[in-house]
Amino acid sequence: MLENKVKRVISFLSPTIIPILFIIFWDLAARKIGNNAILPQVTAVAKHFININDNIIGIGTIPKNILYSLVRVFIGYVLAIIVGLPLGLLMGYSRRVKGALNLFISLFQPVPAIAWRPLVLGWFGVMSVATIFNLDYGPTYAIMDNFKLSMIFLIFLSAFFPIWGNTMFGVSNVQEVLVESALVLGASKKDIFFHVLLPGAGPNIMNGLKSGLTAAWSCLVAAEMLPGSMSGLGYLISHAYELARMDVIVAGIICIGVIGALFDGIYSRISNKYFSWQRLVR
Amino acid sequence: MDNIVFKLNNIGKVYNENEKNELVVIKNLNLEIKENEFLCIVGPSGCGKSTLLRILAGLELPTEGEIYYRGKELKKPTKDIGMVFQNYSLMPWLTVEENIALGLKFQNAPKKKQKEIVDEHLEMIGLTKFRNSKPYELSGGMQQRVAIARSLANNPDVLLMDEPFGALDAYTRIQLQKELLRIWEKHKKTIVFITHSVDEAVYLADRIILMSKNKGAIEVDIQVDIPRIRDRANPRYAELNQQLLDALEELNKDE
Ligand SMILES: Nc1ncnc2c1ncn2[C@@H]1O[C@H](COP(=O)(O)OP(=O)(O)OP(=O)(O)O)[C@@H](O)[C@H]1O
Ligand SMILES: [Mg+2]
């Protein structure tokens, strides 16, 4: 009994050992260097999380900036799902559609989202959720104007490819014998799609959704460095850089990392719960 | 006339037709399968047994000749022609129960009716306790029983079976052979059954055909005249067994 408890405590603590060592090492190094502009001390960074509601470097609190970033990622990500998922399903299902579109879409895949920045700025300028919905000037406008189309488009692009690609791969890799066994049971084309290909591709689709969110979140810093942005974690970091505030930069990086890891953890949970069959099939 | 279920006219099947190295698997094959017939197909590995069965299922079209199912040309799979595959083919994301109900779902059968039929078939294969298990939680033999139940739940007119008992232990195999005969007699189905085991063919079949690697030619086509339930100790049983084994050996010599 006791042994089991000890084991459980150890397995709970073991993932924290390396981060703790890392923090100790970091603090030792920071004290040795003694220059906050090169490597800030742990306490200098930690104080941003302790006084979480302080207005940092004149651009609002950390939670407010996180919220703006999350909303941007969310909008771009949802758009990527709306476009990428059906397109991936269709292209995985129909060889003809795949033949017609695959080359074209694949051409864009290797281009990093940030390379689109100049073009995207040219297209969308300072258009934002506030301007496209023609909001009146006021507090709502001020908030909605933070969600620039250019930024959302870049996030959309980076999330689109993993979602689209994994979905297409998943559908076209469903075992033929499963399709055939449904056919001999009298399945229609619609049945094959909804009862064989879609669930069969489930694990890959989940994987695509997960990679898509990770990619979108990583793209955030780049997108938020676009002109016109006045908030968000990416902006926090680039603005802190201009002020040589290393402690703020590190705090921002920690936020990006922790939130990204949370996303990953949520998706892994869902995958394990609903799609364990793929791992367990012999 | 109307008790002919399948009629195959000069069927041919060629793979890789456009390329130089085309593979003629079946050529000029003629075959009639009667209603209620229990037909077993034996033959060396790679002689085209599965290919023939897939043509009967409508999963594959012959590259030559015509195939008629109950007088109509067969162009695509139908729920009336069920098939149990050589490899495990259950939907891994569905439970045993949902797998068995799959065909009924495609037919839009009422929920209550689905449950009735599923319960009956779970009982029949002795897996009621496993109704909520996923296929990967079952042994190979249990999975194959579910696959058989899934086909039968759809109440097909014809049941095509591709070495369904190949992966089972001797005891389970004999149990399932008996069970299959019982179902066949009770529900009056036509069964086409591929096996590597001559003994299994002699135990089950009304009629046995032996295919050769020479373009899938039918070398032997015999009626099995032993009354059921067949006794493996019957001298006629052993005689037939030997006759088929000799024919198989002869075929392998020709290679
Ligand atoms: N889709 C395919 N494309 C090309 N060749 C194929 C295809 N399917 C089968 N073949 C070839 O056709 C031949 C017959 O295959 P088939 O699966 O019908 O044999 P079989 O008699 O069922 O063998 P086994 O007893 O080992 O299952 C083999 O030589 C095989 O390589
Ligand atoms: Mg075969």
Side-chain angles (χ1 to χ4, degrees), chain B residues 1 5 31 43 49 71 98 110 113 119 126 172 177 183 201 208 223-224:
Chain B
M1 250 317 271
V5 177
L31 183 67
K49 302 183 296 294
E98 291 163 339
K113 174 115 189 178
D119 287 349
T172 313
Q177 287 172 357
I183 292 162
I208 300 174
Q223 300 290 325
V224 181

Coordinates of all heavy atoms in Angstrom, one line a residue, chain B residues 1 5 31 43 49 71 98 110 113 119 126 172 177 183 201 208 223-224:
Chain B
M1 N -34.4 -23.4 -64.1 CA -33.6 -22.2 -64.4 C -33.5 -21.3 -63.2 O -32.4 -20.8 -62.8 CB -34.4 -21.4 -65.5 CG -33.7 -21.4 -66.8 SD -31.9 -21.1 -66.8 CE -31.9 -19.3 -66.8
V5 N -28.3 -19.6 -58.8 CA -28.0 -18.4 -58.1 C -27.0 -17.6 -58.9 O -27.1 -16.4 -59.2 CB -27.6 -18.6 -56.7 CG1 -27.2 -17.3 -56.0 CG2 -28.7 -19.3 -55.9
L31 N -19.1 -21.5 -64.6 CA -19.5 -22.1 -63.4 C -21.0 -21.7 -63.1 O -21.4 -20.6 -63.4 CB -18.7 -21.6 -62.2 CG -18.9 -22.1 -60.8 CD1 -18.5 -23.5 -60.7 CD2 -18.0 -21.3 -59.8
G43 N -7.7 -25.3 -53.6 CA -6.7 -25.1 -54.6 C -5.5 -24.5 -54.0 O -5.5 -24.0 -52.9
K49 N -8.5 -18.2 -56.0 CA -9.8 -18.5 -55.2 C -10.4 -17.2 -54.7 O -11.6 -16.9 -54.9 CB -9.5 -19.4 -54.0 CG -8.8 -20.7 -54.4 CD -8.6 -21.7 -53.2 CE -7.7 -21.1 -52.2 NZ -6.3 -21.0 -52.7
G71 N -30.1 -14.3 -62.5 CA -30.5 -13.8 -63.8 C -30.1 -12.4 -64.2 O -30.3 -12.1 -65.4
E98 N -22.2 -3.2 -32.1 CA -22.4 -2.2 -33.2 C -21.9 -2.8 -34.5 O -22.5 -2.5 -35.6 CB -21.6 -0.9 -32.9 CG -22.2 -0.1 -31.7 CD -21.2 0.9 -31.2 OE1 -20.0 0.7 -31.3 OE2 -21.7 1.8 -30.5
P110 N -35.5 -0.6 -38.1 CA -35.9 0.0 -36.8 C -35.0 -0.4 -35.7 O -34.6 -1.6 -35.6 CB -37.3 -0.4 -36.6 CG -37.8 -1.0 -37.9 CD -36.6 -1.4 -38.7
K113 N -35.8 -3.6 -33.8 CA -35.6 -4.8 -34.6 C -34.1 -5.1 -34.7 O -33.7 -6.3 -34.5 CB -36.1 -4.5 -36.1 CG -35.8 -5.6 -37.1 CD -37.1 -6.2 -37.6 CE -36.6 -7.4 -38.4 NZ -37.7 -8.2 -39.0
D119 N -29.1 -9.4 -30.6 CA -29.2 -10.3 -29.4 C -29.2 -11.8 -29.9 O -28.4 -12.6 -29.3 CB -30.5 -10.0 -28.6 CG -30.3 -8.7 -27.8 OD1 -29.2 -8.2 -27.8 OD2 -31.4 -8.3 -27.3
G126 N -22.2 -17.2 -29.1 CA -21.8 -17.3 -27.7 C -21.0 -16.2 -27.2 O -20.1 -16.4 -26.4
T172 N -12.2 -25.2 -32.0 CA -13.1 -24.1 -32.3 C -13.5 -24.3 -33.8 O -14.7 -24.0 -34.1 CB -12.4 -22.7 -32.2 OG1 -11.7 -22.7 -30.9 CG2 -13.4 -21.6 -32.3
Q177 N -17.7 -25.2 -37.7 CA -18.2 -26.0 -38.9 C -19.6 -26.5 -38.6 O -20.5 -26.3 -39.5 CB -17.2 -27.1 -39.2 CG -15.9 -26.7 -39.8 CD -14.9 -27.8 -39.9 OE1 -15.2 -29.0 -39.4 NE2 -13.7 -27.6 -40.4
I183 N -26.8 -23.4 -39.4 CA -27.4 -22.2 -39.9 C -27.8 -22.4 -41.4 O -28.9 -22.0 -41.8 CB -26.3 -21.0 -39.8 CG1 -26.1 -20.7 -38.3 CG2 -26.8 -19.8 -40.6 CD1 -24.8 -19.9 -38.1
A201 N -13.5 -29.2 -46.4 CA -14.3 -29.2 -47.6 C -15.2 -30.5 -47.6 O -16.4 -30.4 -47.9 CB -13.5 -29.2 -48.8
I208 N -17.6 -29.9 -54.3 CA -16.3 -29.3 -54.2 C -15.7 -29.1 -55.5 O -15.7 -29.9 -56.4 CB -15.4 -30.3 -53.4 CG1 -15.9 -30.6 -52.0 CG2 -13.9 -29.8 -53.3 CD1 -15.2 -31.7 -51.2
Q223 N -19.6 -33.9 -56.6 CA -20.6 -33.9 -55.6 C -20.2 -34.7 -54.4 O -19.6 -35.8 -54.6 CB -21.9 -34.4 -56.2 CG -22.5 -33.7 -57.4 CD -23.0 -32.3 -57.0 OE1 -23.6 -32.1 -56.0 NE2 -22.8 -31.3 -57.9
V224 N -20.5 -34.3 -53.2 CA -20.2 -35.1 -52.1 C -21.5 -35.8 -51.6 O -22.5 -35.2 -51.3 CB -19.7 -34.2 -50.9 CG1 -19.3 -35.1 -49.7 CG2 -18.5 -33.4 -51.4

